[in-house]
Amino acid sequence: QMYQMLSTFLLVSIALIAFANATEYPKVFVETYYEALCPGCQGFITGPLTNVMALPDIAAIVDLKLVPYGNTKKNADGSFTCQHGVDECTSDVFELCTMYKLSGNSSSIISGDTSEIAYPFVQCLEINEGSPSKAESCFASTLALTTSLTWDTVTACSASESQDVQNFGALATPTHDYVPWVLVDGTLLQNTNTLLYNICKAYTGPTPSSCRVSAKSATSPVCNN
């Protein structure tokens, strides 16, 4: 019991120190441009990104931006075609609507200011291979418990504002060669498995203890444009 108390105290102390440092030094801006059914995107979001966001002292220094649009193409009639089919468009729109409705301002899709709040929902959906059939249960187990946003609001948005949010997704997405297209403080991450290393390298504040973890060097899969 004493060991558990000490462990809890240590974790809380690390989190408080990390928070104090994060408020004093600029956060590291991590941008992720992806699409829901891309295997490489799923691997990044459920792998390196999940690992980073699970570390309290690293999550505290990260400013996260997620944009689910990727290699989607806008058609002449204003509709959209997603790289991996209709289901991908459906899931992308669910995620875009969530980011929009969390603030009530569609500009959140461009700024990314609601991405960190939306992240648990995105993570759950990507764990389930981006399947739109899992979206409602993912929402129920994440944002329904932590925010005032309702699933009815998200589905209403997807039904009546899908093209609007996809247009904002297109505006928010930079020119890219593949997805996931991940930037750390504006620099392209050639190997997404080195996310932790590059966040640590970019941070100008005191070195978080989690930065002592060795970076992975394996190559990362992508979905070409």
Side-chain angles (χ1 to χ4, degrees):
Q1 186 177 3
M2 179 63 71
Y3 176 77
Q4 290 180 333
M5 291 175 62
L6 288 172
S7 297
T8 301
F9 175 77
L10 182 59
L11 287 172
V12 171
S13 298
I14 291 173
L16 289 173
I17 292 170
F19 177 78
N21 288 336
T23 58
E24 183 178 355
Y25 297 91
K27 290 189 175 185
V28 179
F29 192 32
V30 176
E31 304 166 69
T32 301
Y33 302 94
Y34 67 102
E35 51 199 30
L37 268 66
C38 165
C41 300
Q42 295 164 5
F44 171 71
I45 291 171
T46 63
L49 186 58
T50 287
N51 295 339
V52 161
M53 297 304 289
L55 301 170
D57 56 341
I58 302 298
I61 65 171
V62 167
D63 181 9
L64 181 64
K65 178 179 179 180
L66 301 169
V67 181
Y69 182 84
N71 297 328
T72 300
K73 306 298 182 186
K74 186 173 182 178
N75 304 312
D77 63 357
S79 64
F80 293 84
T81 299
C82 293
Q83 185 173 22
H84 299 91
V86 175
D87 278 358
E88 180 164 78
C89 279
T90 300
S91 290
D92 284 350
V93 167
F94 281 151
E95 294 181 6
L96 288 166
C97 280
T98 297
M99 295 167 191
Y100 158 32
K101 292 300 182 178
L102 278 168
S103 70
N105 193 330
S106 52
S107 65
S108 289
I109 294 171
I110 295 177
S111 70
D113 60 8
T114 58
S115 290
E116 189 169 343
I117 301 172
Y119 170 68
F121 169 60
V122 172
Q123 179 196 38
C124 178
L125 199 53
E126 298 312 303
I127 286 172
N128 287 281
E129 299 181 338
S131 173
S133 67
K134 301 294 184 179
E136 184 174 4
S137 61
C138 278
F139 189 90
S141 65
T142 57
L143 302 190
L145 304 176
T146 58
T147 74
S148 60
L149 184 63
T150 65
W151 182 242
D152 285 345
T153 299
V154 174
T155 55
C157 168
S158 69
S160 63
E161 300 179 83
S162 61
Q163 289 191 4
D164 292 338
V165 296
Q166 284 175 301
N167 276 317
F168 275 99
L171 288 172
T173 301
T175 301
H176 58 279
D177 298 323
Y178 53 82
V179 289
W181 193 254
V182 182
L183 307 176
V184 175
D185 272 354
T187 299
L188 177 65
L189 199 61
Q190 299 284 354
N191 180 356
T192 57
N193 286 311
T194 62
L195 178 63
L196 176 59
Y197 170 79
N198 282 277
I199 290 172
C200 293
K201 183 179 177 182
Y203 187 53
T204 58
T207 303
S209 60
S210 294
C211 286
R212 299 188 183 96
V213 177
S214 299
K216 295 180 180 178
S217 59
T219 57
S220 49
V222 299
C223 288
N224 290 313
N225 200 338

